[in-house]
Amino acid sequence: MDINTVTELIRNPSDRPGQDWRDGDAWLAGGTWLFSDEQPRLRRLVDLTALGWDTLTAGPEGLRIGATCTIRELYAFAAPADWTVGPLLRASCEAFLASFKIWNSATVGGNIVMSLPAGPMITMTVALEATYIVWAPDGTERTVDAVDFVTANNRNVLAPGEILRRIDIPITALRKNYTHRRFTLTKMGRSTLFMIATQTPGRDDLLLTITAGTTHPVRLAFDAMPDAEDLRAAVDAIPADSWFDDPNGTPDHRQHLARHFAEDIRIELTGGVA
């Protein structure tokens, strides 16, 4: 779609582009959402792809994902053999309601800052205990826990002029055991609920992340595997106004799915003991 209110495109921004931020600006990376709808408030686009940020950097501390890394690049990433969650990275990419053309342009950072309940990069990074590096217009940076970044449907903690620079996933999370459940109304449809559970090897803990069915990510942490009653109580303790309501599912339906999948996961991780 043509955005006829835009009068300027910054193709070669400064290394810290937020310094020149002004009202009416928008960061441009993949642009897959930006060019899909009217943007009447926009006057200028700032092209981040020209900055040449590293996309994926694997090291002894974990995985660094540049905000402009495309979904295609993440999907093609060959994780080290001892990173047990390697297949989860690909599964999260497959959770996109998007064509291969979108995969080639859409970015990890763009999906996160859109802050939609069904954003699979949000699900993945929250479940893997990631932190986000955020650049401020004054040249400073701050670290935000992934679980705290999205605050509501299409809302997050970014202030005007701030930019998501990088996602850091710790090595401890990359070596965890995991399982996941995802429900859609149609085979290739948008997620009604996306749930990921991780567990430290050799331990009985549980970290359960619930997204798509809630307006913001919910992460339930247990030092030891809960029984069925305690796990259901934890799901039921999620505030009623946190369950998302759209054509893909009512709040009651999504809560029901969360209860069902949580117990299914518990049974799987305890070796099939109901």
Side-chain angles (χ1 to χ4, degrees):
M1 174 178 286
D2 293 333
I3 308 178
N4 56 20
T5 59
V6 172
T7 59
E8 188 177 0
L9 171 62
I10 307 300
R11 291 190 178 277
N12 294 291
S14 65
D15 289 339
R16 302 286 298 211
Q19 299 174 82
D20 304 318
W21 178 268
R22 65 193 190 201
D23 188 47
D25 281 359
W27 305 122
L28 174 62
T32 54
W33 175 81
L34 194 63
F35 292 111
S36 72
D37 201 359
E38 296 180 1
Q39 311 290 347
R41 72 170 193 84
L42 296 188
R43 301 293 179 269
R44 187 173 70 158
L45 301 179
V46 183
D47 186 2
L48 299 178
T49 59
L51 296 173
W53 291 343
D54 290 339
T55 54
L56 294 158
T57 305
E61 295 182 352
L63 179 64
R64 287 187 167 185
I65 306 175
T68 54
C69 173
T70 66
I71 304 307
R72 173 63 65 187
E73 288 170 315
L74 179 61
Y75 187 78
F77 174 67
D82 64 335
W83 290 12
T84 50
V85 304
L88 179 62
L89 305 181
R90 294 173 66 92
S92 298
C93 293
E94 291 169 348
F96 269 88
L97 176 60
S99 70
F100 72 92
K101 293 182 290 185
I102 298 296
W103 276 29
N104 288 332
S105 299
T107 62
V108 175
N111 186 250
I112 291 170
V113 299
M114 273 299 296
S115 301
L116 299 176
M121 297 297 98
I122 299 169
T123 313
M124 179 190 75
T125 54
V126 172
L128 296 182
E129 304 164 64
T131 53
Y132 301 157
I133 304 302
V134 174
W135 281 0
D138 63 4
T140 61
E141 67 177 44
R142 61 189 175 112
T143 301
V144 180
D145 193 316
V147 75
D148 298 324
F149 184 81
V150 176
T151 57
N153 178 26
N154 203 210
R155 297 287 184 270
N156 59 51
V157 300
L158 289 179
E162 286 191 321
I163 185 170
L164 175 60
R165 170 62 183 86
R166 191 179 74 236
I167 300 99
D168 293 341
I169 302 177
I171 193 67
T172 51
L174 293 164
R175 290 174 174 162
K176 283 189 171 185
N177 300 320
Y178 81 92
T179 189
H180 70 281
R181 302 291 189 275
R182 180 170 171 257
F183 181 89
T184 61
L185 292 178
T186 61
K187 183 177 180 180
M188 303 297 290
R190 186 181 299 274
S191 299
T192 297
L193 191 87
F194 193 2
M195 181 180 291
I196 297 175
T198 62
Q199 189 175 54
T200 307
R203 291 184 53 190
D204 193 35
D205 60 338
L206 175 66
L207 192 66
L208 190 65
T209 298
I210 303 170
T211 63
T214 50
T215 57
H216 59 87
V218 173
R219 199 163 63 189
L220 305 177
F222 304 89
D223 293 330
M225 183 63 69
D227 60 23
E229 184 177 347
D230 288 343
L231 183 57
R232 181 181 175 112
V235 172
D236 287 348
I238 297 171
D241 60 0
S242 292
W243 294 104
F244 193 46
D245 187 6
D246 76 349
N248 295 288
T250 64
D252 286 348
H253 176 54
R254 286 173 151 123
Q255 184 185 48
H256 167 75
L257 289 172
R259 291 167 176 162
H260 172 75
F261 285 144
E263 176 60 9
D264 198 40
I265 284 171
R266 190 191 69 82
I267 292 172
E268 177 185 342
L269 294 180
T270 53
V273 180

